[in-house]
Amino acid sequence: MKKQNKNMEHHHPWLGMDKAAISHDLHHHYHLTLGRENAGNPLRYLYQAASLTIRDRLVERWRQTRRCYLEEGKKQVAYLSMEFLMGRALTNATLNLDLEQPMREALGEFGYALEEVAEHERDAGLGNGGLGRLAACFLDSCATLRYPVTGYGIRYDYGIFHQLIKDGYQVEVPDHWLEGGSPWEFTVLENSKRVKFGGYTETWEDQNGRPHVRWVSDNDVLAIPHDIPIPGYRNDIVNTLRLWKADSVDSFGLADFNAGEFDVAFTAQNQAAQISMVLYPNDVSVSGKLLRLRQQYFLSSASLQDVLDSWCESHDDFTDFAHRHCFQLNDTHPAIAVPEMMRLLMDVHGLHWHEAWQITTTTMAYTNHTLLPEALEQWPEKIVGRLLPRLLEIIQEINRRFLREVDSRWPADEEKKRHMAVITMENEPQVRMAYLAIIGSYSVNGVAALHTRLLECGLFSNFYALWPERFNNKTNGVTPRRWLVFSNPALASLITEYIGDRWICQMEALAQLKELVRDEGFRARWRAVKLDNKKQVCRLVMNRCNVEFDPAMLFDVQVKRIHEYKRQLLNTLHIIHLYRKILQGEVSAMVPRCILIGGKAAPGYATAKLIIKLVNNVADKINTDIRARPWLRVAFLPNHEVTAMETLCPGTDLSEQISTAGKEASGTGNMKFMMNGALTIGTLDGANIEIRDAVGEENFFLFGLTTEAADAVRRDYRPDDIINADPEFSHIMQMLESNFFCPEMPGLFLPLAHSIRDRHDTWLTAADFRSYLEAQQRVAQVWQDQERWTTMSILNTAASGVFSSDRTIHEYARDIWHLEAC
Ligand code: 26Q
């Protein structure tokens, strides 16, 4: 009972925050709202009742936050993202509102623990991985730091697929996460927007003879907002995540319905509803899926209309609009917002091109998340023209004007124009979404120092030469609330016991832990907490993989999307190496290890799926060999998701961040593990570089080529020579090629072996193999000195403060958004 009544004197008093009030509301929702009795299995309903109890308290603060933002009339940001990987909400909201104790006690009266109840919430898996989870961490930080930022996304009926492992293979199952309803969403019908599709354009003249364009669309879709509350950490702020659901504009064709043509009557409805049906898995090549473009435009148009419409409620013109609004584009996925902003300002609000362009290019900001050329989005001009005829006209005009600018900077340089054009000059012209985003934005940022440098000097070097002032770096971060306070309560309270709790919102304060590295009492407690957390991991691995991990062993973990550039294959080569050593009795330099690999592969990515099968077969072989048991256990964790990570990062000793240098834009899992006291084995890639700088090279296991060295190696790469010159490597390759791991399916893993031996292997697995092995040997050495390991573990957490998303968001607010806290 602290401060919850301030500012509300003129309003009804806020709902109670003590045990009695929580218990009362829990019973109320359980018995009345949900209509349950004291029979049967109550857990699912208790989850709902607990959520509604918390939700009531969020709603009060939500209303107040909205009023506060409105009264202050400050600048606002719309964060546009096709993905928000939120995970569970109940525990997060309970802890952010400081209601853990009363909620525990109230649930205790029903005979249950908060954790048991929380288990009944499905993950909101509306994202693929890093990019989607980053958006979720950012929302948490924005609310905690009192920044008026609204997340805009799509309310997918089906999130990222559920991954089953059958016979070692990935099997994808639809993720119907909304089954049974979600207590966290509020439908706001009155704020629905109409989104146009298809048809044609025509010009018309107004009384003054000024030409205008009208888009006569023939496939309109309704966007219905579903708002999700985003509570800040113990600050009475609740921000909004607005997710759009697609529906048909008229419930169904009434004429067809009356004529009894139900199937015809429903097709329009189904077509419309398809748009928000399912999240696209992040594929290797992101080429032209029409439905994906429909999704992107649906999100962009509905969100921009939302902001513009509410602006027009209190303004007669757009003079001040750019000072009050900013749109952050989470990768190119919502880049169609650039021409859509132009369309809305010109065709709907009557502005001239130059006025509209001025507003667009002072409100849009673009974040890039990838260096892989195959992941850059392009849409065939033909498809854009058919689906969004008015937008193609605007894109063409943007392109014409831009090429004029290129020409004045590099006169008569046709090559430059071909390289930089928004619409490629080929037989089948393509719209380059990244270029559209850069040209339409006043800020372009990468997500780690190396990544931004590579954008400037590589992928976008022409644009950097043209507009150096637009480019800036914003190194990613993760929220310490979810990834330390809630995921690792034991470590969090240990830290707080010694240095107070200021670090929770000011993570740099963790540096104070450095002074405790020699404190024997503290060190012993640190180790005890890690051991306990590892027991949790053991339970998870037993339940999901049916493999027995031993908490006394070194826990070596690589969980992330499966991709060749992340090199789960390199990790697997090391596993095979260890197994060989065991079989040969050469265990003197070895330490007992449990190795866990987890992650989803894009359904169409055959190589990634084969890597999963290999990991599973290798794991089976090793786990059923009693000679290996004292030294090595291996498991593949099925269906890696946010909630699994909450158990994994507190219980990990060694974090694998082993991507080919220059390929991982940032990585964020690396930060979550570091915060929780794991040591990193990693390459000089993405944010690993900054992690190593922060913690000191002596506390980081570095290996592998640098980006520049990797580029040099690629020019004359001969993996076979590397393998032949290295007897141990040769033996491992022989095992991979000899059907040792797939006796029932000869040749199964040959494609993987070939990819390692391929002279065009851009991931350079063979080139980094020896260096990786040596780094793993250093890991084993240090592990044998548990005192030293403990010191390094504490120092990693102590240095992790800069990787709080609070730091990142402060930088976005200061450098890009020019945003003040409320
Ligand atoms: C595009 C077109 C069609 C279908 C899917 C996609 C698509 C979807 C998701 C393309 C890419 C993604 C996700 C990318 C992603 O997660 N990137 C990661 O972003 C993190 C946050 O910045 C970085 O830390 C990672 O390095 C980066 O890989």
Side-chain angles (χ1 to χ4, degrees), residues 615-690:
V615 173
N616 278 298
N617 281 22
V618 169
D620 272 353
K621 190 97 190 172
I622 292 172
N623 297 334
T624 53
D625 187 336
I626 51 158
R627 295 168 293 181
R629 202 172 157 72
W631 296 104
L632 188 57
R633 322 257 172 105
V634 182
F636 183 90
L637 182 80
N639 199 43
H640 176 57
E641 55 183 351
V642 170
T643 296
M645 189 61 163
E646 292 171 6
T647 303
L648 292 176
C649 61
T652 291
D653 296 307
L654 184 67
S655 153
E656 299 267 355
Q657 307 299 336
I658 60 178
S659 54
T660 314
K663 299 298 178 188
E664 187 72 272
S666 161
T668 44
N670 48 3
M671 302 167 184
K672 294 164 198 167
F673 285 117
M674 180 199 198
M675 268 178 200
N676 285 278
L679 311 198
T680 304
I681 181 167
T683 48
L684 287 175
D685 199 15
N688 294 353
I689 297 174
E690 289 152 83

Side-chain angles (χ1 to χ4, degrees), residues 564-565 567 569 573 660 663 710 713-714 717-719 729 752-768:
E564 287 165 280
Y565 84 79
R567 296 198 296 194
L569 199 48
L573 293 180
T660 314
K663 299 298 178 188
V713 164
R714 279 189 198 97
Y717 184 44
R718 294 165 186 280
F729 198 174
L752 297 180
H754 287 154
S755 77
I756 296 171
R757 292 185 183 277
D758 185 351
R759 291 196 55 189
H760 300 292
D761 174 25
T762 37
W763 321 117
L764 302 176
T765 304
D768 274 346

Side-chain angles (χ1 to χ4, degrees), residues 295-549:
Q295 290 183 336
Q296 296 182 344
Y297 181 64
F298 174 76
L299 165 68
S300 304
S301 180
S303 308
L304 293 189
Q305 288 185 56
D306 198 38
V307 173
L308 290 174
D309 288 354
S310 70
W311 175 263
C312 290
E313 276 172 21
S314 52
H315 297 82
D316 298 323
D317 60 42
F318 289 91
T319 347
D320 213 23
F321 182 80
H323 294 117
R324 294 277 173 267
H325 287 284
C326 175
F327 301 92
Q328 190 72 42
L329 309 180
N330 201 19
D331 215 296
T332 54
H333 312 162
I336 196 77
V338 168
E340 173 65 1
M341 187 69 165
M342 292 297 290
R343 183 188 74 83
L344 291 169
L345 290 175
M346 294 190 302
D347 298 0
V348 179
H349 298 281
L351 271 62
H352 291 279
W353 179 280
H354 67 273
E355 298 167 323
W357 188 244
Q358 175 65 28
I359 291 174
T360 302
T361 54
T362 49
T363 53
M364 296 279 163
Y366 157 55
T367 306
N368 173 284
H369 296 266
T370 185
L371 287 156
L372 303 184
E374 64 269 33
L376 290 179
E377 291 190 287
Q378 298 201 342
W379 293 102
E381 185 184 41
K382 257 204 283 192
I383 288 186
V384 177
R386 226 175 288 141
L387 189 68
L388 311 168
R390 178 58 181 141
L391 281 109
L392 180 58
E393 292 174 359
I394 293 171
I395 293 168
Q396 287 166 336
E397 183 60 20
I398 291 173
N399 190 36
R400 265 192 296 277
R401 289 169 184 248
F402 171 67
L403 290 181
R404 254 182 269 150
E405 205 174 329
V406 174
D407 191 67
S408 66
R409 167 71 203 262
W410 291 287
D413 189 340
E414 295 309 306
E415 187 70 0
K416 267 279 183 306
K417 278 180 226 138
R418 256 192 340 102
H419 275 127
M420 301 181 78
V422 179
I423 303 172
T424 61
M425 304 169 183
E426 330 167 308
N427 283 339
E428 302 243 317
Q430 307 269 323
V431 180
R432 293 162 160 157
M433 302 310 274
Y435 293 4
L436 186 59
I438 297 172
I439 294 164
S441 299
Y442 67 94
S443 166
V444 177
N445 77 280
V447 290
L450 172 73
H451 172 229
T452 301
R453 199 145 32 78
L454 293 173
L455 289 179
E456 292 170 351
C457 304
L459 213 49
F460 299 150
S461 58
N462 286 327
F463 291 92
Y464 182 60
L466 193 57
W467 299 311
E469 68 287 351
R470 284 191 198 186
F471 286 76
N472 64 98
N473 176 246
K474 294 289 166 283
T475 298
N476 284 165
V478 302
T479 171
R481 269 74 62 188
R482 181 174 296 254
W483 297 113
L484 190 42
V485 183
F486 312 151
S487 297
N488 199 345
L491 196 68
S493 20
L494 174 61
I495 293 170
T496 296
E497 195 182 308
Y498 276 79
I499 67 169
D501 67 359
R502 192 172 67 92
W503 63 273
I504 295 174
C505 291
Q506 291 179 335
M507 271 275 273
E508 324 80 65
L510 285 181
Q512 291 169 256
L513 293 176
K514 280 192 228 163
E515 276 131 53
L516 294 165
V517 279
R518 272 182 286 277
D519 182 319
E520 273 316 319
F522 181 75
R523 294 168 62 87
R525 301 262 308 271
W526 189 271
R527 268 198 295 261
V529 167
K530 180 62 84 177
L531 187 66
D532 259 4
N533 291 333
K534 287 169 76 173
K535 289 176 187 164
Q536 301 283 337
V537 171
C538 290
R539 277 189 273 279
L540 181 75
V541 171
M542 178 48 76
N543 287 339
R544 289 218 192 161
C545 322
N546 196 28
V547 174
E548 192 185 353
F549 273 14

Side-chain angles (χ1 to χ4, degrees), residues 285-301:
S285 87
V286 294
S287 63
K289 308 257 193 306
L290 186 63
L291 181 59
R292 171 81 179 176
L293 181 58
R294 283 158 60 86
Q295 290 183 336
Q296 296 182 344
Y297 181 64
F298 174 76
L299 165 68
S300 304
S301 180

